[in-house]
Amino acid sequence: MSIHHRMGRREFIATSAGVVTAGIGVACGRAASTEEIAQAAAQVGRLPMRPLPRSGREVTVLIGSASWSPDAVEAGIRCGINYWHKADDWDRRTVPQAILKNRDAHYCEICVDRARGNHETGVIDEETHYRFVKQSVQETGLGYFDDLMFHFGYHSVAEVKNNQGFLRLFERLKKEGLVRHLCHSQHNYRGNSRVPGGDSAVEILTAVMEQGAYEHAQFFYSYGDGEAINNVLKAAKAQGFGTTAMKTTRGASRLLNDREFARKLPAGTTPHNALARWLTTRTDLTNAIVQINSLRQFVDTFSGAGKPLRAADHQALELLAEYADREVCRLCNDCVGHCPQGLAIADILRYERYARDYGERQRARRLYAELDRRADSCLVCGNCLPHCPQKLNIPQKLAGVHRMLG
């Protein structure tokens, strides 16, 4: 077994120097039949397309991910999804044959993490990244990756301006025909004690757009986000820079499991369907990515893409925002610099999302176990509390995550 698939993408790099879905009720643990997949695709229909501005490539308004369940991937292909996030997670056994048979019709992205550490402590290492991409091309059987993504992104505006390592990597791989386009995803590093001089995602995204080397970017965005990130969207649209929202659902699955709160939802819609409508018709985004764990969830969410936002949808979104602001960390990082223990609070609460909202408890436990300081190191001193714009009880939430993932 190769290093890449024995250890996973991050470990390889770190160690190198609702809506009722009629008739679709796939039992847990059973793969959907071809008929069920076809029925799901028919319910969603062909998805609207939109150009990625700088390359002119037409992509669907909601894109796909290799992390989806295989039946949802197959349904997505039938609905016209042609951009695939984290395509390097596939191997020759799991890569969809429909993509291999019509390779040029699909844009497959590879995510490259920092080397010799995690997204906070690691570095940009051209040689390590180069070996990873070459190996991933071989292991997936895709022949090349369309988009090279700098996963997690830059730590600061200064790093955008002064560190050209990832740009050199792109030019080298492009010359060899292994990648074709450059993009990145951006997290927030302002106030992070592990990233001295870290800047906000808004500041870094602005600098990346001004630099001009990247074609598009992914970043946290959901209903109710503030003026600063919306101004980035407006600027990106004016400059012809592609934008993809990620971490979009903000606890929608959690809300549905809270029966008392879920009773408040209006009839005829769900949070996922309403979000899809809002993301694809009421924002300045190019497109968005939503984690999908089942064929039923695919239909629920994607059947809203490109559809008008109705009064019931708006009501559902307001309820979701109310619930999320009370229960789900926005991952803004404002509290992190005030923790005397240096806990990676935003990461810990991001792993909570993976476990509770995405159904990825095993992944969440693995990532949580890799932290050098876990949530049980919290002193319950309360230093973080005045700095949370949501007024979350952070020590209480950390304790809950440790009980779940520790």
Side-chain angles (χ1 to χ4, degrees):
M1 183 182 290
S2 71
I3 264 180
H4 176 50
H5 288 290
R6 182 174 63 249
M7 304 176 71
R9 178 177 69 251
R10 288 203 182 118
E11 293 84 351
F12 174 88
I13 293 176
T15 57
S16 298
V19 166
V20 177
T21 311
I24 298 174
V26 180
C28 182
R30 178 176 75 79
S33 68
T34 301
E35 182 180 351
E36 287 168 329
I37 292 171
Q39 185 180 7
Q43 287 185 254
V44 171
R46 297 293 292 184
L47 293 167
M49 309 287 279
R50 214 175 264 158
L52 278 170
R54 293 189 177 174
S55 65
R57 293 176 291 164
E58 291 281 328
V59 296
T60 47
V61 294
L62 294 179
I63 63 175
S65 175
S67 64
W68 289 2
S69 59
D71 49 9
V73 170
E74 177 60 32
I77 292 170
R78 292 178 181 228
C79 293
I81 293 177
N82 63 341
Y83 187 103
W84 296 96
H85 177 51
K86 294 186 178 180
D88 55 292
D89 280 358
W90 285 320
D91 58 26
R92 288 179 181 270
R93 180 182 57 85
T94 59
V95 65
Q97 291 302 304
I99 291 178
L100 291 180
K101 290 176 181 177
N102 196 12
R103 179 65 186 86
D104 288 344
H106 292 270
Y107 305 122
C108 295
E109 167 203 288
I110 181 169
C111 291
V112 177
D113 297 309
R114 289 174 180 265
R116 303 196 302 278
N118 61 23
H119 71 100
E120 298 168 320
T121 61
V123 298
I124 297 171
D125 184 321
E126 184 181 340
E127 287 303 319
T128 298
H129 300 330
Y130 175 78
R131 293 197 303 272
F132 170 69
V133 173
K134 287 203 72 170
Q135 181 169 324
S136 296
V137 168
Q138 291 298 317
E139 292 187 340
T140 58
L142 288 167
Y144 61 92
F145 289 102
D146 297 271
D147 290 76
L148 175 71
M149 171 172 280
F150 182 19
H151 198 215
F152 288 96
Y154 292 96
H155 286 163
S156 65
V157 172
E159 189 176 37
V160 174
K161 294 178 177 178
N162 300 325
N163 191 327
Q164 303 297 304
F166 211 83
L167 303 186
R168 289 194 302 270
L169 169 72
F170 170 66
E171 293 300 335
R172 181 178 175 185
L173 290 166
K174 184 178 180 182
K175 187 177 292 186
E176 295 185 22
L178 298 177
V179 301
R180 297 181 174 182
H181 305 273
L182 183 62
C183 62
H184 90 301
S185 66
Q186 189 59 58
H187 285 228
N188 190 359
Y189 294 102
R190 182 187 61 198
N192 190 323
S193 61
R194 299 163 189 248
V195 184
D199 286 323
S200 71
V202 165
E203 292 169 316
I204 298 168
L205 284 165
T206 301
V208 167
M209 286 191 291
E210 291 173 352
Q211 180 198 59
Y214 289 81
E215 292 185 12
H216 57 101
Q218 292 183 12
F219 47 86
F220 300 167
Y221 187 70
S222 190
Y223 183 80
D225 278 351
E227 183 180 6
I229 192 64
N230 282 302
N231 286 339
V232 168
L233 285 175
K234 289 183 176 66
K237 190 171 184 178
Q239 296 176 35
F241 183 82
T243 52
T244 301
M246 63 179 182
K247 305 290 187 289
T248 52
T249 55
R250 281 203 72 214
S253 296
R254 224 177 297 184
L255 183 157
L256 293 173
N257 289 327
D258 186 330
R259 292 185 179 182
E260 182 177 347
F261 201 90
R263 287 194 193 101
K264 300 178 183 179
L265 289 170
T269 188
T270 69
H272 288 91
N273 190 271
L275 271 168
R277 290 169 182 262
W278 176 78
L279 287 164
T280 58
T281 67
R282 294 293 189 92
T283 72
D284 288 315
L285 289 163
T286 305
N287 51 34
I289 183 165
V290 181
Q291 177 58 27
I292 298 296
N293 298 318
S294 68
L295 198 58
R296 181 183 293 274
Q297 193 179 71
F298 172 78
V299 174
D300 178 17
T301 304
F302 278 66
S303 59
K307 305 285 179 57
L309 194 71
R310 305 160 299 185
D313 300 316
H314 186 264
Q315 186 181 349
L317 291 174
E318 288 292 318
L319 286 168
L320 174 60
E322 176 190 338
Y323 182 86
D325 283 342
R326 190 185 76 196
E327 299 287 341
V328 185
C329 173
R330 282 190 178 273
L331 310 176
C332 70
N333 254 4
D334 286 359
C335 64
V336 173
H338 302 279
C339 177
Q341 294 291 81
L343 289 177
I345 297 171
D347 280 345
I348 292 169
L349 297 182
R350 179 161 54 88
Y351 304 155
E352 179 193 33
R353 284 198 191 191
Y354 295 161
R356 296 188 65 187
D357 299 321
Y358 299 172
E360 297 181 338
R361 188 160 296 204
Q362 184 176 355
R363 176 191 180 199
R365 282 180 172 151
R366 174 177 60 80
L367 292 169
Y368 184 67
E370 291 171 0
L371 293 172
D372 57 354
R373 285 190 290 274
R374 302 191 301 174
D376 58 340
S377 298
C378 173
L379 301 174
V380 199
C381 66
N383 283 6
C384 55
L385 294 175
H387 304 282
C388 177
Q390 297 173 241
K391 306 303 180 187
L392 296 176
N393 188 329
I394 297 170
Q396 186 180 82
K397 289 194 71 64
L398 292 176
V401 174
H402 186 70
R403 287 194 297 272
M404 178 171 56
L405 303 180

